[in-house]
Amino acid sequence: MTKIKSIRTRVWNWTGPTVPPQGNFCTNASDALWDKGDAMASFRFHQWLTCEVEAEDGTIGIGNAALAPTVVKKAIDDWYAPLVIGEDPFDYAYIWEKMYRRTHAWGRKGIGMTAISAIDIAIWDLMGKLVNKPVFKLLGGRTKEKIPVYYSKLYADSIPAMQKEAELAQKHGYQAYKSRFGYGPKDGMSGMRENLKRVEALREVLGYDVDLMLECYMGWNVDYTKRMLPKLEKFEPRWLEEPVIAEDVNGYAELNAMGIVPISGGEHEFGLIGCTDLLRKGAVSVLQYDTNRVGGITAAQKINAVAEAFQVPVIPHAGQMHNYHLTMANANCPISEYFPVFDVEVGNELFYYIFKGDAEAVDGYLQLDDDTPGLGIEITEEHIANFEVIE
Ligand SMILES: O=C(O)[C@H](O)[C@H](O)[C@@H](O)CO
Ligand SMILES: [Mg+2]
C-alpha cells in the first residue's frame, strides 16, 4: 500500500497581457446592482490553483481549481491537507467523506467544496498514474469513439464582430456553439431587441443544422426570462444557460417547466445533494457541474449516476481534462464544452498556459488516449514569465 506523503498548492497569478472584455461582453449576477461599478470583475478569473498530491514513491497527482484560488489554497494548506496526508489514495471514498464531514460546518459549498475538488482530482490523477491507466478507464472506460465538443465563446459584441468570430469558428468544423447575451433586465425592451438581433445574426451565419446555446451567466431574472423565452424559441436554441442566480432553484424549475427552451445550469452548484436537488425539482434539462467545483471526480461520478436515473444529460462546465475523462466514461455525458485557445480574456483560457497535455479539438471533436495514465496533463513552465506563482 502506498500512502500520500505531501500536498503542494500553488496559486498561478497571471501577470501577462489580457484582452479587455469587448462590447457588452456578458450579463452577470452583478448587473442587478444599482452601482454598476466594475461588473466585469466577475470575469477576472486571472488566477488558478494547482494542487499536487505526492505519494511515498514520488508519484504526483495533479488537481486544480479556478474559483478564489488564494482562499482555496489557504483552506487546503490549513484544513484539508492534514486530513489527507498519510492516507492511501485508493481509499478515495473514505478520504472524500473525511474532508466533507470534518469541515461540514462551513465547507459543503463554495470554497470548501472547491478545495475538496482540487484534492480529489489530484488523487484520481495519482491513482491512474499508480496503476498506469487513464482516469476514464477507472470510471467506466471508453463510451465514445471521440468526444463531440461545442465552441464556447461568442461573448456579446457588435453584430459584425460576432458574425466574424462565428465564421472563423466554423472553419474548425464545430457542430455546436455557445454565445453570451450582453443585455438584461436593466436594458429594458431595447436591450431585448439587441439580444434577439445577435441570436438572429448568429443563426444567419451558422444556419440551423448546428446547435446554438445561449448563456446568461446568472444575469437575468425569472420575469425577464419568461418574457424572452417565447421570443427566442424560433431560433431553436439547444439550451438557455444560467438565466437566474444559482440559488433561485425554484426560478429555474419554473422556467424549465415552461418547456419553451431547455434550461441548463449547475456550474455554481456543489456536491451530490445540491445537484440531486436540481434534478429532483426539474430545475435543469441539462446539468453542468464543473468537476473542479462540485466535489471532484468522486462526487461527479455519483452525480452522473443520479442524472442518468433522471435521464438528464450531463455536460460539465469548462471542458478541461478533469471534465473530459468523465464525459468519455459516461454515455449520459454526450458532449463537452470547449474553450478555444485564445489570448487571456475571461481567465478560462489560463488552463492552457499552466498545463500541457489538455486535449485540443480537431474538426469539432477531441480524443483521449487509452494508454496515457492519469488525467494526461502536466504542469508546464513554458509561460512562467507571465505568472507570479505563490507557493
Ligand atoms: O458556461 C461557461 O463557460 C461559463 O459560464 C463561463 O466560464 C463564464 O465565463 C461566462 O461565460
Ligand atoms: Mg455557464
Side-chain angles (χ1 to χ4, degrees), residues 312-349:
V312 170
V314 175
I315 300 174
H317 165 258
Q320 296 160 2
M321 278 305 208
H322 48 272
N323 290 309
Y324 294 146
H325 279 261
L326 285 150
T327 300
M328 178 58 86
N330 286 274
N332 190 45
C333 299
I335 65 173
S336 286
E337 179 167 20
Y338 185 75
F339 295 133
V341 183
F342 275 103
D343 294 340
V344 176
E345 179 181 52
V346 178
N348 294 322
E349 311 85 356

Side-chain angles (χ1 to χ4, degrees), residues 107-121:
R108 63 193 178 86
K109 297 217 182 222
I111 298 299
M113 192 55 83
T114 302
I116 291 170
S117 302
I119 293 171
D120 182 80
I121 290 168

Side-chain angles (χ1 to χ4, degrees), residues 284-300:
V284 293
S285 294
V286 178
L287 181 60
Q288 301 173 304
Y289 63 65
D290 192 328
T291 305
N292 71 2
R293 304 174 180 177
V294 80
I297 291 169
T298 300

Side-chain angles (χ1 to χ4, degrees), residues 229-258:
L229 285 169
K231 300 176 195 299
L232 288 168
E233 186 173 17
K234 61 177 175 288
F235 299 117
E236 300 175 37
R238 179 165 176 174
W239 70 65
L240 180 73
E241 184 167 334
E242 286 208 305
V244 298
I245 55 172
E247 283 205 292
D248 188 6
V249 178
N250 292 334
Y252 268 96
E254 181 181 351
L255 295 168
N256 202 35
M258 291 172 72

Side-chain angles (χ1 to χ4, degrees), residues 43 152 155 178 180 215 217 241 267 317 337 339 346 348:
F43 290 97
S152 181
Y155 284 85
K178 182 158 86 181
R180 275 72 177 177
E215 163 82 82
Y217 199 60
E241 184 167 334
E267 73 178 82
H317 165 258
E337 179 167 20
F339 295 133
V346 178
N348 294 322

Side-chain angles (χ1 to χ4, degrees), residues 59-108:
T59 308
I60 294 175
I62 304 169
N64 77 88
L67 294 181
T70 52
V71 187
V72 172
K73 171 177 170 52
K74 183 86 173 136
I76 292 173
D77 295 349
D78 291 3
W79 292 86
Y80 291 98
L83 299 174
V84 176
I85 291 166
E87 295 291 355
D88 174 352
F90 290 94
D91 291 341
Y92 63 85
Y94 169 78
I95 295 170
W96 197 96
E97 287 296 331
K98 188 176 177 185
M99 292 193 286
Y100 177 64
R101 292 174 178 275
R102 288 285 186 85
T103 65
H104 201 72
W106 52 269
R108 63 193 178 86

